Amino acid sequence: MVLAIRSYRLSVGYEVDEGLVWVVDRLSLEVGVGESYCLVGESGCGKSTIGNTIAGLLPPYAVTDGILELMGVKAVEGRLRRFNGLRGRVVVRIPQDPAASLNPFLTVEEQLEEVLKAHLGQLTEAEARRRVQHLLSLVKLPPEVAEVYPHQLSGGMKQRVAIALALAPSPKVVVADEPTSALDAYLKFSIARLLKALQLALGLTLIFITHDLTLARYVCDRVAVVYAGRVVEEARTVDILEGAVHPYTKLLLRAVPRRLNSGRLADIPGAPPPPGRYLPGCRFRPRCPIASEECTKDPEVVEVGEGHKVYCWRWRSG
Amino acid sequence: MSPLLSVEDLYVAFRTTKGGLGLGYRVVWALRGVSLGVEEGESLGVVGGSGSGKSTLLKAVIGLVKPLKGSIIYQGLDILKLGWPQRKRILREIGYVPQEPSQSMDPKMSVGDIVVEPLLALGIPRRSQEHLLGSVLELVDLPREIRGRSIRELSGGMQQRVAIARALITKPKLLLLDEPTSSLDVSTSAQILNLLKDLRETLGLSYIVVSHDIDSVSYVADRVAVMALGIVVEVGPTDRVLAEPLHPYTRVLVEPEKVEEEATLDPEVACPVYRWCPWREDRCATERPQPVEVGRRHLVMCWNYL
Amino acid sequence: MTALPEALSDLLRLMRRAWRRPAFRVALSLALALTALGLLGPYVAPYPLQGLGVEVVPEKSLLSPSLEHLLGTDAMGRDILSRVLFGLWRAVIVTLLVISVSAALGLFVGSAAAVLPKPVETVFVYIMELFISVPSILLAAALVATAGGGLVPLIVALVLTWWPWYGRVAYTQARAIRELDFVNLPRVFGLSRLYVVRRHIVPHVVPPVLVEALSDLGSVVIEMSTITFIFGAAQSISEPDLGVMIGLGLRYVTTHPWVALFPAIFLALLAISFTVFGEVLYEEANPVLRKRWFKWF
């Protein structure tokens, strides 16, 4: 069985003025074809870097280690990154800000055609137009949108065009990096719903990166909670939401205001450590309510249920 | 009981330039006849999507934008009809926490100077300023040493606390908060929401909290108003509105997963949800629905409920 | 004005960063040395009266460098070293004066344009654009033709052509921040418009203008000398001016090269050191792509 994504001890860092800063630490995960997988975490935890690595969009000053395979092909091996033929074809990314992927000087149709031609070679006018319309209908946009320029579209429509652009090369893996953060409440939902529907209809493998746990519930089969560059808990969505075991996950779930539930929100004191300034051992230890001596050692994985992994020494005492 | 603050039939419009040379212009209506009230000690949440006018509502109350029509009444006096000195006195009792803390505070000023700025026009001696600064920093749980730092050095959560401190320094009775947690992480957001909840109790404040996230608003608000395209569509006690959203647009915000239709809002017709409302009648396109009382202090603007 | 001390400390920090680069160290040291030399020049010149051009010694004309006249004498028998020192003094004074007056004027007009009502703003902007489009040499020619020679028309011409550049920088920066909440909120607190300008707008506008002004020092030196070089004959040739000296000395460049060469060397050193100083400072103030952009190639 070929996995859509497989990583083994994948680490990613950046070379900055102060030296080499590692932001993702020995990530090992497996995502099956057609699965919808969420990376949940707060800002600075490294989830975007993971998404960029999978999509082959790391900047030249990034450094990698470990292994990453996409559809069975080795894309990252130690320091080497080989994404030719993968990037933009097999794996695509939908960025947080739709304006980032839309060229303001081209109409929607022109941009979609550009991508289509890059992947399908020369197309006749009629064929190109047909495919563009097909993409627009996939993302539930009316045909007239083809002739407008991005600035004439609302935020939600821009995001849909960005999705259409990403789907143009018929990719297998889609990395959606906080695709709804820039949108208001209702749009958040309709875009998430759209992605979910597309994922099911086209059999895509979806990596959905978000800080919003409620969206994760709606979109994803499995969730990985990321903290300070490491996965701290990984399970099916329902198991995370109802049976979370890691202290951070539990606090995070209780920090989200839920209507009709006026219990006090969980207060996680302090702030996540800045990248590169990690203490040895469990990185959540300084803020963990149940930390103890043993937590000065890097936690090892514990399988606490079917497909439910946690990286914590003290998960039982939660 | 007369409300602490009420806005009545408020209209606000903006002119945006259009056309190549910027010679033409278009009028955009941000508020189209909004009437809301907050009682003393009460907390009102205002929710809606972008373009609903909720931020503009706060800006109109505080005086950053000028309404075309309508009144803003604070403790019985229409602020818009007062002279400048009286207005200044009243505005002292209303604190404002704007959106985006990084843009509402001058990065070249020290935190201390930022927080103390509202006091400068009030003729308060230096020593009192220092004293007030100390006590307000304590209220928002910030260490005294932060006075000398620039806001650039602070995290999002701390910046927000500074903005809240600045709003509190004039000892207001009413606090206006524009999207207080939208730019923050889940855990930081929880800290700020808890802080707001505590401050209300400790200081006996009234709030108007604006947000696009109905869940965070419901944590701190007793009543909630739902806005769309510059008008209020529903307003009532938070738990009632959330348990049983009556207006179609409220349903979109409260239970989006149940809404099948594409919920687009139309500014051209009288009721914004006309296009897809399951109960639409002809008059919904031409006549603005009047508020219908469906419960104690619970109003819905919809012909269907008449 | 609390803006100035803060801007200066920012500036010092910037210079400390720039100091890391060897080119900056050389340029700044040289620039400071030449400036000091220029300012002290009139007091250390061996033949001050000749330097000023008051005294002429026709029988000693065109002597090659010797112990008596370290850099030789020119066609009127004046000691070239003294002439050069006075010329340096003039160049330094004019440059510093032009830059400071232009920057101040530009700062004022640009900031005002951003905070005053629209009609005034449009007028100010139009004026700035108008002056930017005038080439300094033409303006100088016009002024020199009508007002005669001398320092004043030169300085006026230079200021008139330089100030709108700073005006534009100030205006752009002021406009960018005038929409931000922290500029509008103080009005809600009851503070005056003047307070807002002083406390919020000026501190943001001064640093970019300051950096622009400093990086233009070299250009002003060159422009000034170009004007005097071209119009040197129209000016009174007794006045010590590096550009004029070069112009007049060209006639003898094949036979008595030192007459033109020494002023040219000093001018070049001054211009280069100021320019490099300015360039490095500007680069440090505006890092293009901090993150190892070169790795993209």
Side-chain angles (χ1 to χ4, degrees):
Chain A
M1 183 196 57
V2 172
L3 291 168
I5 302 172
R6 186 184 93 88
S7 81
Y8 178 67
R9 296 172 77 87
L10 176 69
S11 300
V12 185
Y14 295 109
E15 266 181 19
V16 291
D17 288 331
E18 299 83 41
L20 183 52
V21 174
W22 292 100
V23 297
V24 176
D25 183 42
R26 289 168 292 164
L27 182 80
S28 299
L29 50 73
E30 295 179 352
V31 181
V33 173
E35 206 183 322
S36 159
Y37 192 86
C38 262
L39 289 174
V40 168
E42 299 180 285
S43 48
C45 70
K47 57 193 194 302
S48 283
T49 303
I50 298 173
N52 289 342
T53 312
I54 294 173
L57 292 172
L58 286 176
Y61 54 89
V63 176
T64 52
D65 199 15
I67 300 204
L68 175 69
E69 284 177 4
L70 290 174
M71 307 300 287
V73 176
K74 274 215 175 57
V76 172
E77 197 167 1
R79 301 274 157 146
L80 291 178
R81 302 199 279 283
R82 281 187 238 103
F83 277 89
N84 285 340
L86 291 172
R87 183 193 298 115
R89 259 173 231 267
V90 172
V91 59
V92 293
R93 185 186 75 156
I94 302 169
Q96 179 169 358
D97 179 11
S101 47
L102 299 179
N103 184 334
F105 296 111
L106 299 177
T107 63
V108 167
E109 181 159 32
E110 284 166 356
Q111 298 190 46
L112 288 171
E113 274 183 18
E114 201 179 44
V115 180
L116 286 170
K117 289 202 181 121
H119 291 281
L120 301 172
Q122 270 304 1
L123 291 171
T124 62
E125 280 275 324
E127 179 68 12
R129 200 155 300 154
R130 193 185 66 79
R131 284 182 184 268
V132 166
Q133 288 302 324
H134 171 67
L135 284 171
L136 289 179
S137 72
L138 271 183
V139 296
K140 306 245 176 53
L141 282 173
E144 306 85 68
V145 169
E147 285 147 42
V148 305
Y149 287 90
H151 71 266
Q152 298 171 279
L153 297 170
S154 71
M157 296 174 100
K158 278 201 270 239
Q159 193 60 295
R160 287 170 196 262
V161 173
I163 296 174
L165 266 177
L167 295 176
S170 304
K172 303 265 188 322
V173 178
V174 175
V175 175
D177 192 347
E178 307 237 33
T180 58
S181 300
L183 306 173
D184 65 35
Y186 174 66
L187 285 175
K188 264 201 221 306
F189 206 77
S190 49
I191 294 292
R193 184 162 48 182
L194 176 68
L195 281 174
K196 181 81 186 152
L198 287 170
Q199 186 242 335
L200 290 173
L202 302 173
L204 300 170
T205 308
L206 177 65
I207 304 290
F208 193 80
I209 302 175
T210 181
H211 60 264
D212 187 339
L213 287 159
T214 21
L215 274 184
R217 171 190 1 197
Y218 191 70
V219 176
C220 301
D221 308 322
R222 281 208 291 149
V223 172
V225 178
V226 183
Y227 184 83
R230 292 178 174 166
V231 171
V232 296
E233 190 163 4
E234 186 194 355
R236 281 180 318 186
T237 313
V238 56
D239 293 332
I240 286 272
L241 292 174
E242 287 165 25
V245 151
H246 193 283
Y248 175 63
T249 317
K250 285 162 59 174
L251 281 173
L252 206 60
L253 287 168
R254 278 175 38 221
V256 177
R258 302 270 186 88
R259 57 190 73 154
L260 307 176
N261 167 23
S262 48
R264 197 172 170 83
L265 298 177
D267 211 320
I268 315 180
R277 313 252 204 93
Y278 302 130
L279 298 168
C282 173
R283 293 177 174 177
F284 188 59
R285 189 164 72 89
R287 307 167 74 196
C288 183
I290 56 171
S292 71
E293 268 308 300
E294 50 189 332
C295 303
T296 47
K297 267 191 310 169
D298 280 350
E300 280 165 11
V301 60
V302 179
E303 193 136 349
V304 300
E306 201 194 307
H308 189 160
K309 301 194 182 115
V310 73
Y311 293 75
C312 179
W313 296 116
R314 313 254 303 141
W315 65 274
R316 261 185 250 272
S317 21
Chain B
M1 189 169 53
S2 127
L4 181 64
L5 176 90
S6 75
V7 302
E8 279 168 25
D9 209 31
L10 212 55
Y11 281 82
V12 173
F14 295 114
R15 253 214 298 227
T16 61
T17 53
K18 74 170 184 181
L21 292 167
L23 290 174
Y25 63 85
R26 213 174 47 161
V27 174
V28 174
W29 286 98
L31 296 177
R32 301 189 288 160
V34 170
S35 304
L36 285 173
V38 186
E39 306 286 333
E40 188 148 355
E42 185 181 48
S43 169
L44 175 72
V46 180
V47 295
S50 44
S52 56
K54 50 197 202 298
S55 293
T56 313
L57 177 65
L58 292 185
K59 291 193 180 151
V61 171
I62 200 72
L64 279 174
V65 304
K66 225 175 99 150
L68 256 63
K69 230 177 89 166
S71 344
I72 301 178
I73 302 182
Y74 181 77
Q75 289 189 326
L77 293 170
D78 188 349
I79 306 181
L80 298 174
K81 294 206 168 51
L82 293 177
W84 187 226
Q86 284 170 298
R87 259 178 114 165
K88 220 167 82 171
R89 245 192 10 229
I90 289 188
L91 286 179
R92 184 181 176 169
E93 304 198 6
I94 304 179
Y96 178 55
V97 181
Q99 227 172 355
E100 288 301 329
S102 52
Q103 283 190 0
S104 68
M105 300 183 287
D106 191 335
K108 287 204 180 279
M109 273 173 88
S110 67
V111 165
D113 288 339
I114 290 175
V115 176
V116 153
E117 202 175 29
L119 297 176
L120 295 179
L122 302 174
I124 299 192
R126 193 72 207 221
R127 200 144 19 103
S128 310
Q129 286 180 23
E130 284 297 312
H131 178 75
L132 286 168
L133 174 64
S135 54
V136 89
L137 284 179
E138 208 182 302
L139 272 177
V140 298
D141 230 336
L142 284 174
R144 285 189 72 94
E145 304 80 64
I146 215 170
R147 276 161 31 243
R149 317 248 300 259
S150 156
I151 59 156
R152 266 191 292 230
E153 306 167 38
L154 304 180
S155 68
M158 293 175 103
Q159 283 179 355
Q160 193 62 289
R161 288 173 198 263
V162 172
I164 295 174
R166 175 176 64 176
L168 291 174
I169 203 165
T170 56
K171 301 218 170 115
K173 286 211 177 109
L174 171 66
L175 208 57
L176 307 175
L177 299 126
D178 196 347
E179 306 266 11
T181 57
S182 300
S183 55
L184 303 174
D185 265 333
V186 171
S187 50
T188 325
S189 178
Q191 288 173 3
I192 296 294
L193 287 173
N194 280 337
L195 174 67
L196 289 174
K197 205 170 177 142
D198 294 339
L199 284 174
R200 244 191 94 193
E201 275 178 40
T202 335
L203 302 174
L205 293 169
S206 315
Y207 286 169
I208 303 183
V209 183
V210 160
S211 177
H212 65 265
D213 177 20
I214 203 164
D215 290 308
S216 31
V217 158
S218 61
Y219 187 67
V220 286
D222 308 315
R223 291 174 74 226
V224 69
V226 179
M227 285 183 67
L229 290 184
I231 56 178
V232 178
V233 297
E234 185 169 352
V235 56
T238 311
D239 40 10
R240 294 264 64 242
V241 173
L242 290 182
E244 226 190 296
L246 295 175
H247 193 281
Y249 188 64
T250 317
R251 277 189 63 228
V252 166
L253 293 181
V254 171
E255 27 192 54
E257 64 271 7
K258 295 207 191 130
V259 177
E260 283 306 324
E261 315 83 9
E262 281 297 310
T264 49
L265 296 175
D266 192 350
E268 305 291 323
V269 291
C271 179
V273 301
Y274 176 69
R275 287 251 205 94
W276 50 272
C277 180
W279 309 310
R280 67 170 170 276
E281 307 165 0
D282 284 332
R283 67 170 159 173
C284 297
T286 49
E287 271 180 79
R288 174 86 66 83
Q290 290 305 302
V292 176
E293 189 153 351
V294 292
R296 218 179 144 272
R297 301 187 73 209
H298 189 167
L299 302 169
V300 187
M301 282 42 149
C302 180
W303 291 123
N304 186 50
Y305 284 93
L306 209 46
Chain C
M1 282 241 285
T2 55
L4 228 26
E6 219 205 280
L8 287 176
S9 69
D10 282 338
L11 188 66
L12 275 171
R13 216 180 318 142
L14 189 63
M15 295 223 272
R16 218 169 293 148
R17 255 206 342 251
W19 189 257
R20 280 192 266 151
R21 298 168 58 168
F24 187 77
R25 293 203 283 268
V26 172
L28 182 58
S29 317
L30 190 57
L32 286 175
L34 288 171
T35 308
L37 194 60
L39 292 173
L40 293 173
Y43 303 99
V44 303
Y47 301 88
L49 294 174
Q50 293 180 15
L52 262 180
V54 170
E55 184 185 308
V56 293
V57 193
E59 56 277 11
K60 281 182 145 189
S61 76
L62 300 176
L63 294 178
S64 49
S66 62
L67 273 176
E68 238 180 35
H69 295 277
L70 286 173
L71 299 183
T73 61
D74 67 358
M76 306 281 276
R78 296 175 291 210
D79 176 41
I80 290 184
L81 176 59
S82 310
R83 293 281 289 170
V84 162
L85 286 175
F86 272 84
L88 202 59
W89 177 89
R90 205 171 129 116
V92 167
I93 293 285
V94 168
T95 303
L96 291 179
L97 210 65
V98 166
I99 286 285
S100 32
V101 172
S102 308
L105 187 58
L107 196 68
F108 178 74
V109 175
S111 312
V115 299
L116 292 174
K118 200 86 177 38
V120 181
E121 176 179 348
T122 317
V123 168
F124 276 18
V125 171
Y126 187 72
I127 292 178
M128 286 193 289
E129 299 292 324
L130 193 69
F131 274 97
I132 282 186
S133 55
V134 177
S136 60
I137 299 186
L138 288 183
L139 192 58
L143 281 169
V144 159
T146 49
L151 221 44
V152 173
L154 180 65
I155 294 182
V156 169
L158 286 171
V159 167
L160 284 179
T161 48
W162 279 100
W163 80 265
W165 296 95
Y166 305 124
R168 201 195 256 176
V169 169
Y171 174 64
T172 319
Q173 186 71 352
R175 240 183 72 155
I177 61 163
R178 78 173 170 192
E179 295 306 323
L180 295 178
D181 277 340
F182 66 76
V183 170
N184 294 308
L185 268 185
R187 302 282 292 137
V188 168
F189 302 152
L191 295 161
S192 68
R193 258 191 279 258
L194 190 61
Y195 169 87
V196 170
V197 170
R198 181 174 61 87
R199 200 72 170 82
H200 290 286
I201 298 193
V202 168
H204 286 270
V205 172
V206 164
V209 170
L210 201 56
V211 171
E212 286 276 340
L214 287 174
S215 49
D216 283 340
L217 286 169
S219 310
V220 175
V221 171
I222 295 176
E223 206 168 275
M224 167 197 161
S225 310
T226 310
I227 295 175
T228 56
F229 174 80
I230 294 177
F231 296 105
Q235 303 204 320
S236 126
I237 52 178
S238 63
E239 303 232 324
D241 183 286
L242 294 175
V244 172
M245 283 186 245
I246 299 173
L248 293 178
L250 275 185
R251 193 184 319 165
Y252 309 100
V253 77
T254 43
T255 48
H256 312 85
W258 61 88
V259 181
L261 193 62
F262 289 122
I265 290 177
F266 274 84
L267 181 62
L269 286 177
L270 189 68
I272 292 174
S273 61
F274 274 7
T275 305
V276 172
F277 163 75
E279 285 290 316
V280 175
L281 201 68
Y282 192 81
E283 266 177 38
E284 287 294 322
N286 298 295
V288 179
L289 281 169
R290 266 221 156 101
K291 297 207 178 125
R292 315 286 155 128
W293 56 271
F294 51 85
K295 284 204 161 179
W296 288 92
F297 298 97

